[in-house]
Amino acid sequence: MSETKLKPSTPKVQNPNAAAVRVAFDPLRPTEKPQDYYDEIKQKFAEARDLRLSYRPDGRAQYTSELTGELAKYEIDPHIETRETREPINDTVECLFIGGGFSALLTAARLRERGVESIRIVERGGDVGGTWYWNRYPGAACDVSAYDYLPLLDELNYVPESFFAKGPEIFAHCQSIARKYDLYDLAVFQTTVTSTVWDAKAKLWRVGTDRGDTMSARFVICANGTLSKPKLSKIAGMERFKGHSFHSSRFDYAYTKGDLSGLKDKVVGIIGTGASAVQIIPRVGKAAKALYVFQRTPSAIDIRDDIPTDPDWAAALKPGWQAERLQKHMRGPLLTEQQKRDLAALPREEKIRRQENQNIEHQMRIHARVDEIVKDKATAEALKPWYMHRCKRPCYDDEYLPAFNLPNVHLVDTNGQGITEVSEHGVVFEGREYPVDVLIYATGFEVQVTGIYNDIRGENGLELNEKYADGMRTVFGIHSAGYPNLFIMGGYQASFQFNLTFMLQTQGGHIAECIKYVREHGHTTIDATPEAEQWWVDEVIRHRGKTNRNRECTPGYYNFEGESNRRQDGNYNGGFYQYFTHMTEVKQEMEKHFRFG
Ligand code: NDP
């Protein structure tokens, strides 16, 4: 695996490493072991899920993102020293983005290419970057290859430094996009949009903020991110903790110091072992006097094996290389005619069985890796994930498992129970108090909520989430009838992609085309027809709930914490290629799917 990496001039494809290949499901590969082997493991998965659910049957209600009063501190922006003062704004722009992360940056770039000049980003944070502005904890990095994840590489003539990009590089890339497309010109930061109301007479959106602004915009794009609002597990006594505490997405370097040297005489506790915690733990573990990791469900930790970008490979890239690469990913593997026939002949049940069995084989490789690395047997056992591959976000880190061999890093495994009590001095589990100086909550975010912090009222004054009360209704997760000139990014009813920026680029391209269509055809507004909306809701329903997977998975945000939910209130599962194809088809018949005014 690493041999290729030592010969920088040879590879024509950057990093053919094991982690990058990830687990490609091959439906044509028959199951290797007797079925009993897999069934037994599946049974253990079910038992682990049932145990975890028995402790927290309250699903999403076990969390809160109402961060007010004593909890307000968990949402304060640690990157702003003094809150900027400015006069309220009451002007009109053509396109207004709520949020300044990748959704806004990518769509704005496509709008600029189509000649749109008046673009404003309104952002809660102090700069563009979204996730990468907020999440600056030690070790923050992306698990998707940088050549795919970092968007607009061709346009910016940039090749990432290594196969996996780290947080600061991604944040800097966001700033470069904003500079290249002049998005700083009209941007306003440290500003939260609180109301977005359609003025039918003026055919404008009236946008109110926490700064007293009354901005107007012809088009509004909700680009508030998929995982932007921090949430906390409801734990008794959180408010009475006397030490220092913060959420992973608000990492407090003023306390820890930039090089974490402020932790050398501190006992640190971290609650949660999801993708954020997996990156924080090894770095804080090395710096702190002691680190206590409070685990409810372990993450699956695969090889990262990052390598610097091969300069020869980078120099040989031809214009359009990234777009070509992404198109290839979307098409998926090329099959021979024989393989296509074999696949078509495979019964659906057998395909599902093979997929499950391969997922189990993968998780057992993850288990074996834990045994190879973690010296203490009990700790190793506790770090093994007992659920199907991808029931939770898979993690890739080469330092996480070794961290548990450090004498100052202690795993407190709650075996599905989770932490339910915090005292003045620290964390309490099963009657034992673990005193800590600082407590990090790595407990995740609200998921794919449109209009977070915001109240969106369309044609008849109906708030968007009230409209959704009987089930979400959109076209592509982007348009919702009765909300003309409003575009939603990163919400449900859209396709889900591990490489989120690719999905956002697809949505951004579509939105830019819609706006261009309105401008070029002498219209002022665009709104989905009720028929188009019904078609898409039916499409979403048709592709959801086809297997038991969601129900069988251990709880997490992927499956609504184990809650059953309406089939239309989730992502479109018909596949990304299909999602893209539908969009292309709709754009060929705009007048059929949209009402223009
Ligand atoms: P998650 O929602 O994935 O994880 C929250 C964690 O908190 C889980 O381990 C959860 O346990 C735990 N938890 C919640 N309540 C308690 C409790 N009372 N006691 C103990 N543990 C508790 O949030 P993250 O911020 O880790 O990740 C969110 C997403 O952000 C990722 O899935 C990924 O999409 C993205 N991300 C991507 C990264 C990357 O590319 N490498 C890095 C970081 C984030 P349980 O599992 O039992 O619910």
Side-chain angles (χ1 to χ4, degrees):
M1 197 161 54
S2 47
E3 276 162 44
T4 336
K5 293 194 290 175
L6 297 174
K7 295 184 220 152
S9 57
T10 337
K12 287 287 167 273
V13 179
Q14 175 73 1
N15 195 349
N17 77 358
V21 172
R22 307 299 195 213
V23 210
F25 165 55
D26 178 3
L28 295 174
R29 179 159 71 77
T31 290
E32 287 164 8
K33 295 193 166 70
Q35 189 57 36
D36 284 356
Y37 166 82
Y38 302 100
D39 290 345
E40 242 173 68
I41 295 172
K42 230 184 130 180
Q43 181 54 33
K44 282 190 159 184
F45 287 175
E47 285 162 16
R49 176 210 56 214
D50 290 349
L51 182 70
R52 159 77 172 75
L53 265 177
S54 70
Y55 292 122
R56 286 311 272 255
D58 44 347
R60 283 176 282 187
Q62 71 184 281
Y63 289 101
T64 181
S65 65
E66 280 302 307
L67 303 182
T68 50
E70 286 288 308
L71 300 184
K73 63 178 179 185
Y74 294 110
E75 224 177 343
I76 290 173
D77 185 347
H79 312 300
I80 292 173
E81 275 170 27
T82 46
R83 192 166 148 90
E84 184 185 281
T85 51
R86 64 164 173 80
E87 290 301 309
I89 299 170
N90 42 38
D91 60 2
T92 302
V93 295
E94 187 170 9
C95 295
L96 185 144
F97 287 88
I98 302 173
F102 272 133
S103 298
L105 298 172
L106 297 175
T107 311
R110 297 300 177 227
L111 285 167
R112 286 280 195 242
E113 288 163 2
R114 286 162 179 79
V116 177
E117 284 172 5
S118 169
I119 298 177
R120 166 170 294 147
I121 286 173
V122 184
E123 164 59 52
R124 207 172 142 73
D127 202 338
V128 297
T131 289
W132 302 102
Y133 170 85
W134 295 107
N135 287 277
R136 299 195 217 176
Y137 57 74
C142 183
D143 282 347
V144 178
S145 130
Y147 317 118
D148 301 310
Y149 181 78
L150 279 188
L152 305 176
L153 292 179
D154 277 316
E155 289 83 346
L156 271 78
N157 194 21
Y158 180 70
V159 181
E161 290 162 17
S162 55
F163 189 81
F164 294 109
K166 296 191 176 52
E169 185 185 13
I170 307 174
F171 179 36
H173 189 67
C174 291
Q175 294 170 316
S176 302
I177 296 173
R179 275 194 299 272
K180 173 164 173 85
Y181 293 97
D182 301 323
L183 301 175
Y184 281 116
D185 293 357
L186 285 180
V188 281
F189 296 107
Q190 302 181 35
T191 303
T192 303
V193 171
T194 50
S195 69
T196 307
V197 180
W198 180 242
D199 180 339
K201 209 156 153 229
K203 295 185 178 173
L204 287 172
W205 284 101
R206 307 292 187 190
V207 178
T209 73
D210 65 344
R211 297 294 198 117
D213 305 309
T214 46
M215 306 173 193
S216 299
R218 179 73 62 210
F219 302 98
V220 165
I221 298 101
C222 294
N224 58 261
T226 53
L227 297 163
S228 47
K229 194 171 199 314
K231 71 179 194 278
L232 295 169
S233 180
K234 289 178 189 160
I235 298 174
M238 280 168 77
E239 296 88 346
R240 61 169 203 248
F241 177 60
K242 289 221 158 63
H244 194 67
S245 60
F246 51 84
H247 187 270
S248 58
S249 67
R250 303 290 188 273
F251 202 88
D252 190 356
Y253 286 105
Y255 180 90
T256 65
K257 302 229 167 72
D259 60 359
L260 304 185
S261 60
L263 296 178
K264 69 173 186 303
D265 57 351
K266 298 282 186 285
V267 179
V268 183
I270 183 162
I271 297 183
T273 48
S276 298
V278 163
Q279 295 184 330
I280 295 170
I281 286 164
R283 286 89 211 174
V284 167
K286 273 186 208 149
K289 181 172 145 200
L291 171 64
Y292 286 88
V293 177
F294 299 96
Q295 172 181 273
R296 183 163 68 182
T297 311
S299 279
I301 314 295
D302 212 335
I303 303 163
R304 188 165 196 88
D305 198 16
D306 194 11
I307 55 164
T309 295
D310 173 351
D312 293 346
W313 174 81
L317 291 169
K318 304 250 165 15
W321 67 274
Q322 191 186 36
E324 199 182 302
R325 187 179 159 103
L326 290 171
Q327 286 307 316
K328 230 158 121 186
H329 288 325
M330 183 155 67
R331 281 195 305 270
L334 289 176
L335 299 179
T336 63
E337 288 310 312
Q338 184 57 47
Q339 284 172 320
K340 282 183 199 161
R341 280 194 294 276
D342 290 348
L343 199 57
L346 201 65
R348 188 169 165 272
E349 293 69 32
E350 178 60 12
K351 206 170 148 193
I352 293 172
R353 193 175 70 94
R354 286 184 185 184
Q355 179 151 28
E356 281 187 353
N357 292 351
Q358 286 177 31
N359 278 341
I360 290 169
E361 285 165 11
H362 175 76
Q363 287 302 72
M364 293 306 110
R365 278 196 291 277
I366 295 287
H367 281 203
R369 190 160 175 264
V370 177
D371 282 329
E372 274 165 31
I373 296 173
V374 178
K375 295 199 178 103
D376 178 72
K377 290 291 156 227
T379 305
E381 278 313 305
L383 286 168
K384 291 178 183 171
W386 286 97
Y387 48 80
M388 281 287 179
H389 175 56
R390 292 209 179 183
C391 275
K392 284 186 177 290
R393 168 95 180 194
C395 297
Y396 302 86
D397 200 294
D398 297 335
E399 294 175 57
Y400 182 72
L401 294 172
F404 291 94
N405 293 333
L406 297 174
N408 63 326
V409 176
H410 312 283
L411 181 69
V412 181
D413 178 38
T414 68
N415 193 20
Q417 282 190 62
I419 295 303
T420 51
E421 191 184 343
V422 166
S423 68
E424 277 183 25
H425 310 291
V427 178
V428 181
F429 178 62
E430 289 188 328
R432 177 173 165 193
E433 185 181 72
Y434 296 84
V436 296
D437 298 300
V438 52
L439 189 52
I440 305 172
Y441 291 99
T443 46
F445 303 87
E446 286 291 348
V447 184
Q448 295 185 258
V449 182
T450 302
I452 211 147
Y453 305 108
N454 190 6
D455 184 88
I456 303 172
R457 295 194 182 264
E459 267 176 349
N460 49 13
L462 190 67
E463 208 281 319
L464 186 62
N465 289 301
E466 281 169 25
K467 170 178 168 172
Y468 290 168
D470 295 326
M472 277 194 72
R473 300 189 67 77
T474 74
V475 179
F476 302 140
I478 296 177
H479 317 263
S480 197
Y483 298 78
N485 290 3
L486 185 84
F487 303 92
I488 299 158
M489 299 186 75
Y492 284 128
Q493 293 201 349
S495 178
F496 177 78
Q497 276 293 294
F498 201 62
N499 181 8
L500 184 65
T501 57
F502 193 21
M503 222 293 289
L504 298 175
Q505 285 193 68
T506 307
Q507 292 195 327
H510 171 83
I511 293 166
E513 273 300 297
C514 288
I515 292 174
K516 177 174 174 233
Y517 189 94
V518 173
R519 295 169 113 229
E520 287 185 352
H521 289 76
H523 303 307
T524 313
T525 60
I526 175 172
D527 193 10
T529 65
E531 295 75 24
E533 196 176 75
Q534 189 58 47
W535 160 70
W536 188 249
V537 169
D538 291 343
E539 262 303 286
V540 172
I541 291 173
R542 195 161 73 81
H543 289 286
R544 287 186 65 80
K546 290 202 275 196
T547 67
N548 294 331
R549 186 180 158 88
N550 248 15
R551 243 176 302 131
E552 291 177 355
C553 270
T554 188
Y557 77 85
Y558 278 11
N559 66 350
F560 311 94
E561 301 295 335
E563 281 177 13
S564 59
N565 76 322
R566 269 185 305 247
R567 281 168 75 171
Q568 74 198 71
D569 292 354
N571 289 310
Y572 167 70
N573 287 344
F576 186 51
Y577 183 69
Q578 197 54 39
Y579 181 70
F580 180 76
T581 306
H582 279 312
M583 274 184 175
T584 311
E585 287 165 359
V586 162
K587 281 198 285 286
Q588 281 155 8
E589 290 183 306
M590 292 290 279
E591 306 284 335
K592 184 177 157 200
H593 296 91
F594 298 103
R595 290 181 304 184
F596 293 93

